[in-house]
Amino acid sequence: MNTWRAQPVPARLFLVVLSQLPVVLAVWLWFRLSERVSLVEYDGGVFLLGLTFSLSLFLYGMLCYLAYCAFSIFYSLDRDFLTIRCGPSLVRVPLAAIQAVHGSGDAPGGYVTVRWKGVAGVVPGYVVGEGRSAQFGRAFSMATVPAARQVWVVTRGMAYGLSPEYPDRFVQLLNARLEDEDESPGPASTSRVRRSWVLDMGLGLWADRVVRSLFLAGLALNVLLWGYLSLVYADLPSQVAMHWNAQAQVDRIGDPVELLDLPLFALGVWLFNSIAALVVLRRERAATIFLLAGGVATQVFFFAGALSIVLKN
């Protein structure tokens, strides 16, 4: 088996640097949190600092995973398959299904252009995702260089973009293997794909504009709710009217810290709905939109409740 690493472009180092920025943020938040805890027993600021600290650690983990994927792209050739790997994701393309191989600038019409779905091709050194090529139709890349510099392996239903370290040698070897391949493509000669759930869900999310907009709208509203409460929290009285009966009389009074339950519950609903929506996205788009729209509506409902309580106190 011949194994080829992806081209080691300097742009991949950007991902390594980017993945460390949340650590700097987390350290700063930790010192601020420690300082505030030493001054007050507990308040909304302590909670918000703790929540931001946790989110920065989550962001750090996601960026580290992205950097790991960028540095783990490689390709291998055996007697029957071309294997493309990126992190835990794996694509196996039967040699019998390959119709053509094009090096950089060797495709029909010159350099390959691809209209990517979502954010594929946006991160330097990490061109992983689906799109549509003007030359080949459906395209899927696991590469470290732009589409124009990739090696393109064309099958009947999909063109695969690669960036082997020595592209000319790779193209020569693959063409030699194809010349020795006597089997014609049959019903079983289709690519087999095993993607990580992170990659699969991410591609589905960013490729659909409506789904992406609803997902981000729910998150943005929740962030605004946290921000609003953090601004007004210090001006709230020590005891806050939390609920009114049908006669507009106060029937429950509580500590201002209870107000923080509203954005916390709203965040939980948004997170649950988002995960459920992404799981069913490839099976039922309507259900995905319904779940994400429900997450947005929940944020609006809790925002209205928080605003009503704050304005009446």
Side-chain angles (χ1 to χ4, degrees):
M1 177 182 293
N2 292 279
T3 301
W4 306 73
R5 294 185 304 171
Q7 293 185 36
V9 295
R12 285 192 300 181
L13 297 177
F14 168 77
L15 291 174
V16 177
V17 175
L18 184 64
S19 67
Q20 302 310 306
L21 293 182
V23 175
V24 178
L25 176 62
V27 171
W28 180 80
L29 288 170
W30 178 258
F31 281 111
R32 289 296 306 273
L33 182 61
S34 301
E35 179 184 2
R36 194 173 185 91
V37 169
S38 65
L39 297 176
V40 298
E41 181 176 353
Y42 182 81
D43 66 358
V46 171
F47 185 87
L48 290 173
L49 284 171
L51 178 66
T52 310
F53 174 75
S54 301
L55 292 176
S56 67
L57 293 180
F58 174 77
L59 179 62
Y60 170 68
M62 294 299 296
L63 289 175
C64 284
Y65 173 80
L66 186 64
Y68 155 70
C69 289
F71 279 86
S72 63
I73 298 175
F74 73 88
Y75 319 99
S76 59
L77 279 171
D78 58 23
R79 191 167 60 90
D80 299 310
F81 290 95
L82 163 65
T83 302
I84 311 167
R85 182 183 293 274
C86 173
S89 302
L90 182 71
V91 178
R92 301 195 73 196
V93 183
L95 297 185
I98 298 176
Q99 298 178 340
V101 181
H102 300 283
S104 177
D106 187 37
Y111 291 101
V112 176
T113 58
V114 179
R115 183 175 182 180
W116 299 109
K117 296 180 179 179
V119 296
V122 174
V123 181
Y126 186 72
V127 188
V128 177
E130 297 182 7
R132 189 158 192 86
S133 165
Q135 290 92 335
F136 307 124
R138 292 182 62 202
F140 181 82
S141 283
M142 282 188 178
T144 56
V145 298
R149 294 169 50 196
Q150 294 176 21
V151 173
W152 286 92
V153 177
V154 183
T155 65
R156 180 174 299 178
M158 181 76 74
Y160 297 91
L162 323 175
S163 61
E165 189 171 10
Y166 303 103
D168 292 338
R169 296 185 197 172
F170 179 85
V171 171
Q172 290 175 3
L173 179 60
L174 182 53
N175 279 325
R177 291 285 179 89
L178 293 178
E179 289 175 3
D180 295 336
E181 180 63 49
D182 296 328
E183 299 179 8
S184 59
S189 297
T190 57
S191 58
R192 292 187 287 178
V193 180
R194 187 185 76 223
R195 294 179 181 168
S196 68
W197 68 272
V198 175
L199 177 64
D200 198 48
M201 291 170 64
L203 291 175
L205 168 66
W206 293 108
D208 191 312
R209 181 177 299 178
V210 176
V211 171
R212 180 173 70 246
S213 299
L214 289 173
F215 177 85
L216 294 177
L219 179 60
L221 287 172
N222 190 261
V223 171
L224 287 175
L225 179 53
W226 282 111
Y228 172 71
L229 289 180
S230 67
L231 291 175
V232 303
Y233 188 87
D235 298 327
L236 292 174
S238 57
Q239 294 295 313
V240 176
M242 303 295 294
H243 193 267
W244 292 260
N245 59 24
Q247 288 75 40
Q249 299 172 334
V250 177
D251 58 4
R252 191 168 78 81
I253 295 177
D255 192 279
V257 74
E258 293 184 35
L259 273 176
L260 298 178
D261 290 339
L262 296 178
L264 184 61
F265 289 152
L267 179 62
V269 172
W270 173 84
L271 185 60
F272 176 83
N273 279 26
S274 297
I275 293 175
L278 294 177
V279 169
V280 303
L281 175 58
R282 292 192 175 276
R283 298 193 183 109
E284 183 53 63
R285 181 174 180 269
T288 297
I289 294 176
F290 177 80
L291 287 167
L292 292 177
V296 173
T298 300
Q299 308 309 311
V300 174
F301 175 79
F302 278 94
F303 207 130
L307 189 64
S308 175
I309 292 173
V310 171
L311 294 178
K312 290 181 179 179
N313 282 275

